[in-house]
Amino acid sequence: MTNTRRRHLAAWLCAASLFCAPAFAQQRSITVASTTSTMDSGLFEHLLPLFKARTGVDVRVLSQGTGQALDTGRRGDADVVFVHAREAEEKFVAEGFGLRRRPVMYNDFVLIGPKADPAGVAGGKDIAAALNALVGKQAPFVSRGDRSGTHQAELALWRAAGVDLTAARGAWYREIGQGMGAALNTAGAMGAYVLADRGTWLSFRNKGDLAILVEGDRRMFNQYGVMLVNPARHAHVRQADGQAFIDWLTSPDGQAAIAAYKVGGQQLFFPNATDPGA
Amino acid sequence: MHDTIPNPASILPLRVERLCFADAQARLLEDVSFAIPRGGLTIVLGANGAGKSLLMRLCQGLLAPTSGAVAWNAQPEGFSRHAMVFQKPVMLRRSARGNVLHALAASGVARAGRAGRADAALQRFGLADLSERPARLLSGGEQQRLAIARAVAAGPEILFLDEPTSHLDPGATLQVEQMLGGLKRDGVTLVMTTHDMGQARRLADRVLFMHKGRLIEDAAAHTFFEGPAAAEARAFLAGDLLW
Amino acid sequence: MLWQCARAGGRRAHTAHGSGEQVDSLALALGLIVSLDPGFLAVVGLSLRVTATAVLIAALIGLPLGALLALKRFPGRSMVIVVVNAMMGLPPVVVGLLVFLALSRAGPLGALGLLFTPTAMIAAQTVLALPIVIAITRQIVEDLWGEYREHLLSLGLKGVRAVPTLLWDGRFSLTTGLLAAFGRASAEVGAVLIVGGNIAGSTRTMTTTIALETSKGDLPLALGLGLVLIGLTLLINAAAYGASRVGARHAV
C-alpha cells in the first residue's frame, strides 16, 4: 500500500525465496530399500561411490528393517530390495512383488553382553547352549522386536536352541521395536544381552561395558539377497538402472568391492553370489 | 443560511424517517425523523443515554435500524462520501501518514492520488511534522486531529462526529473546534454529538435535542439557546447552567 | 564419507567418559560450523529449506483461513475452532503416516512419485505447521477486530475486505506465531523420517541425522548436531525478534 509497505513485502519475499529458490534437482537415480545393518556398518558408503563412478547412477538408500524394506518394495516405493531374511525374500518373489532373488554376501551375528557376564556364556561357540543359559539365569535380553532380518534370525536361533519363547518369555525378555543401534544402546544401558550383526557392532561407537561373548557358530551366519521390484506390478520401477545395480553387486567387480570393505582391519561381509545354495 | 437547493449528484439532503432501534432488552430509539441539508454544523444534544451515539452509528450505516430509514438524496456508493469520527479514535498500528493512506485506499481513492491527498490532509491539520510517527504514540489531541484528517482526506460531503472532544483538555478541544470551523467553511456538512453546553453554543448552527431515545426539539441554535420549547430541554439547560 | 573430521572427533570422544562427552560435543559443534564441511552444510541447508518452504506455504494458506475463521460466522464454527486447536497437538508420526500413505505408489497420490523426496517432507511439515498458523492467526485477528471493528466498518471494510488490514496490523504478533510453526516443523523428526526416508544426500535433515547418529551410538556427534540445531533456532528467533523490535518502533 505505502512505499514502506511495499519495501517490507519485497524484503520478506527475498528472504523467503533465499530458502526456497534452489530447486531440488533430480538426477539419474534409483531407490534401494535396505537394512540398517548395511547402512549403519558403513558398507553402502563404501560401495555406492564405486557404482556411481562406473554407471553415473545415484543410489538413494532407505535403511529400514527387513520387513519394512520388503513392504516398501511391495508398495512400489523402491526399485530394488536388498535385505537378509531368505524365507521372507522367497515369499516376496513368489507373490510376484519381486523378480529373481540373487544371493550377494553373508555376514554373521554375534551375541553381545556385559563384560561381567552374569549368565556365564563368554567364550562359547554354541549359540544354543548360550541362549539356554540366558533363560536359566533369567538374564536380561534385548530383542529388536521389529520384524527385521536380525529379529527373524534371533527367533530362528531361539527355535534352534529348543526354547519356546511364548512360554519362557518374562520380564527378562525386552522387545524394543527399534533398530540395531537403539538395541545396542538399550542393552548397554541395562547391562543386557543382545544379538547383533558384526558389522553394526564393529562400527558402533557407544560400546561402553559391552563385549562379544559368543561368535563363530555356523547357525549365526546371515545371508543377504537382492531383487528387483517387479516392473509388471509397478510400471514406474527403474528397471534398467536397478538391474544394473544388481548385476554389479553380483559381478566379480562388485563382489571384490564387498570383500575389500573392512572396519578396524576386520572384513565384515563375505561375498558368495556364486554359491547356488545361499 | 443552509444551501437548500439539492445538487443532483449530492448525497444530501439526508432524510432520517421514523427511525426506531431496539435491542433485546429495550427500545433505544423511538420514531426519530429529521433532515440534514447541505452545509452547516448540527449539534445533537442530550444527556447520557439519550441515544445520540446510536443515532450517529445508524446514520453512518454501522447499524441497521429496527424500522424506519436513513435515506440519502443519492445512494452513496461505498463509504467515501460520508465519514465518521469516534469518541475514542481507533489508531491503526501504523504511522500517522499510514493511517490516512489506509483510509484513502479503503475509500477507493486511486493509488496515484493517495500520497498527495494524505500529505495535504496532514499539512492542513498541523500534523505534517508528526506524519511518520506511530499513530498510537501520539497524544490524545493529536490522535483526534489525525482521526478527523483521516476521515475527511477522501473528501466526504458529510462528517458525523460522536463526542470528539470529550476526552481532550481545553487546548486540544480548541484545536479540534478550529478544525471543524475550517471544514464548515469549506462546505463540509457536520453533524456532531456533545454534552458540553459551551461547545454547543460556540459551534452549533442548529440543535437536535434528544431525550430518552426521542427527538424532542429541532431548532436553529439561537432560538434553542434563547429559550427551548420543550420542558426537558429547559431542564437540561438549567441543569447545565448550575454546573 | 561425510564429515570426516567430525567422525574422527567422535572416535576421540568414545575413549573419553562422563562430562568429557559434553565438552567434546561442544568442540564438535564448533568444528562443524567453523569447517563449513559441505556435507554438514547440505544437511543444514536442506533442513532450513524444507522447513522454510513448509512454513511459507502454511502461512499463505493459514493466514487468510485463520483471519476468515475469526471474522465469519457460520454454523459449526466453534467445532472448526476446536478441531484446529486440537490439530496443533497432532502427533507428528501420525501426520507422517498419513502423508506416507497418501504419497506411496500404492496410495492416491502415488503417481506423483513424491515419496522419499524433500517435497514429501515439505508436505508433512506443512500439515504440522498449518494448524498452528490458523489457530494463532484466528486468535490475533479476532482480538484486533474487536479493537478495530467500528473504524473499519465506518470505512466500509468488513468480512474479507477487512482481512488485509488486520493481517498487516497484526504482523508482529503473527510473526511470533509463524516462529512457533517454524519451531514445531524444524524440531520434528518422526514425520520427516517416515516420508523422507533419511536418504543420505537427498532427504537427510538435521533431526534425522541426529536420530541416525544416536542409533549408531555416536552420541557426541548426535549431541554436537543437536547443539548446532539449537544454535540455529536461537539465531532465527533472535533475528526475527530484532526485526520486529525495529519494525515496532515505526508502528506500535
Side-chain angles (χ1 to χ4, degrees), chain A residues 130-205:
Chain A
L131 291 180
N132 273 303
L134 294 188
V135 179
K137 287 271 181 8
Q138 298 279 294
F141 181 89
V142 171
S143 168
R144 292 276 295 274
D146 62 351
R147 283 202 306 142
S148 61
T150 306
H151 182 218
Q152 291 177 31
E154 177 214 315
L155 295 177
L157 289 175
W158 285 113
R159 280 196 298 274
V163 174
D164 178 6
L165 263 189
T166 42
R169 182 189 290 264
W172 62 278
Y173 185 84
R174 294 163 191 178
E175 283 185 320
I176 63 166
Q178 296 187 69
M180 196 68 256
L184 286 168
N185 276 330
T186 309
M190 299 195 315
Y193 293 83
V194 59
L195 189 74
D197 65 279
R198 189 185 296 271
T200 304
W201 166 253
L202 282 176
S203 40
F204 186 68
R205 298 266 167 70

Side-chain angles (χ1 to χ4, degrees), chain A residues 78-89:
Chain A
D79 304 303
V80 172
V81 180
F82 184 11
V83 292
H84 59 97
R86 184 162 172 183
E87 266 179 48
E89 292 161 34

Side-chain angles (χ1 to χ4, degrees), chain B residues 57 60 93-94 102 136, chain C residues 147 150 154 165 169 251-252:
Chain B
R57 282 168 172 72
Q60 175 66 8
R93 287 161 172 75
R94 310 172 187 219
H102 175 266
R136 290 155 66 86
Chain C
E147 184 188 332
E150 287 211 306
S154 80
T165 306
D169 279 43
V252 176

Side-chain angles (χ1 to χ4, degrees), chain A residues 1-5, chain B residues 91-106 114 118-119 122 130-135 146 150, chain C residues 151 155 165 168-169 171 250-251:
Chain A
M1 193 163 292
T2 67
N3 277 330
T4 343
R5 182 171 168 180
Chain B
M91 292 289 117
L92 303 185
R93 287 161 172 75
R94 310 172 187 219
S95 66
R97 191 167 181 273
N99 268 269
V100 182
L101 288 168
H102 175 266
L104 287 169
R114 287 179 208 157
D119 291 334
L122 292 165
L130 306 174
S131 67
E132 293 307 324
R133 289 268 287 278
L146 176 58
R150 184 173 70 179
Chain C
H151 174 56
L155 291 169
T165 306
W168 181 251
D169 279 43
R171 60 200 179 277
H250 294 287

Side-chain angles (χ1 to χ4, degrees), chain A:
Chain A
M1 193 163 292
T2 67
N3 277 330
T4 343
R5 182 171 168 180
R6 242 178 287 136
R7 268 204 307 279
H8 281 210
L9 202 65
W12 273 84
L13 286 177
C14 278
S17 60
L18 261 184
F19 290 112
C20 319
F24 300 114
Q26 281 296 325
Q27 43 197 345
R28 204 172 145 207
S29 70
I30 57 170
T31 302
V32 175
S34 190
T35 65
T36 50
S37 52
T38 42
M39 195 64 180
D40 292 0
S41 62
L43 177 66
F44 273 124
E45 286 181 18
H46 168 72
L47 291 182
L48 299 186
L50 298 173
F51 178 68
K52 176 154 189 188
R54 173 172 278 264
T55 60
V57 176
D58 216 27
V59 179
R60 297 150 38 89
V61 180
L62 298 165
S63 93
Q64 305 174 322
T66 289
Q68 197 192 350
L70 287 169
D71 274 345
T72 302
R74 271 192 197 95
R75 304 184 67 93
D77 292 324
D79 304 303
V80 172
V81 180
F82 184 11
V83 292
H84 59 97
R86 184 162 172 183
E87 266 179 48
E89 292 161 34
E90 281 167 350
K91 185 159 166 272
F92 180 79
V93 171
E95 287 168 351
F97 290 108
L99 296 184
R100 191 161 74 94
R101 170 188 177 275
R102 305 273 295 274
V104 179
M105 63 193 187
Y106 68 89
N107 68 346
D108 66 335
F109 292 115
V110 290
L111 184 67
I112 307 287
K115 283 174 186 150
D117 190 22
V121 300
K125 272 207 161 200
D126 183 347
I127 185 65
L131 291 180
N132 273 303
L134 294 188
V135 179
K137 287 271 181 8
Q138 298 279 294
F141 181 89
V142 171
S143 168
R144 292 276 295 274
D146 62 351
R147 283 202 306 142
S148 61
T150 306
H151 182 218
Q152 291 177 31
E154 177 214 315
L155 295 177
L157 289 175
W158 285 113
R159 280 196 298 274
V163 174
D164 178 6
L165 263 189
T166 42
R169 182 189 290 264
W172 62 278
Y173 185 84
R174 294 163 191 178
E175 283 185 320
I176 63 166
Q178 296 187 69
M180 196 68 256
L184 286 168
N185 276 330
T186 309
M190 299 195 315
Y193 293 83
V194 59
L195 189 74
D197 65 279
R198 189 185 296 271
T200 304
W201 166 253
L202 282 176
S203 40
F204 186 68
R205 298 266 167 70
N206 190 31
K207 291 192 174 77
D209 258 348
L210 295 175
I212 292 179
L213 301 180
V214 178
E215 60 185 326
D217 190 321
R218 278 201 69 83
R219 287 171 293 190
M220 294 166 88
F221 285 7
N222 177 35
Q223 179 65 43
Y224 284 79
V226 66
M227 60 227 89
L228 187 71
V229 174
N230 191 350
R233 255 181 199 270
H234 296 289
H236 55 268
V237 166
R238 299 188 176 137
Q239 186 172 6
D241 290 340
Q243 192 60 50
F245 181 60
I246 293 172
D247 289 346
W248 180 76
L249 276 181
T250 52
S251 73
D253 195 25
Q255 296 273 295
I258 291 169
Y261 181 60
K262 291 191 170 74
V263 170
Q266 290 197 51
Q267 181 176 346
L268 292 187
F269 297 95
F270 300 88
N272 64 345
T274 49
D275 177 355

Side-chain angles (χ1 to χ4, degrees), chain B residues 56 83-85 148 159-164 180 190-193:
Chain B
M56 293 293 100
M84 181 152 177
V85 169
I148 294 170
L159 179 62
F160 300 102
L161 303 107
D162 184 19
E163 302 269 8
L180 296 179
L190 301 165
V191 182
M192 169 176 164
T193 68

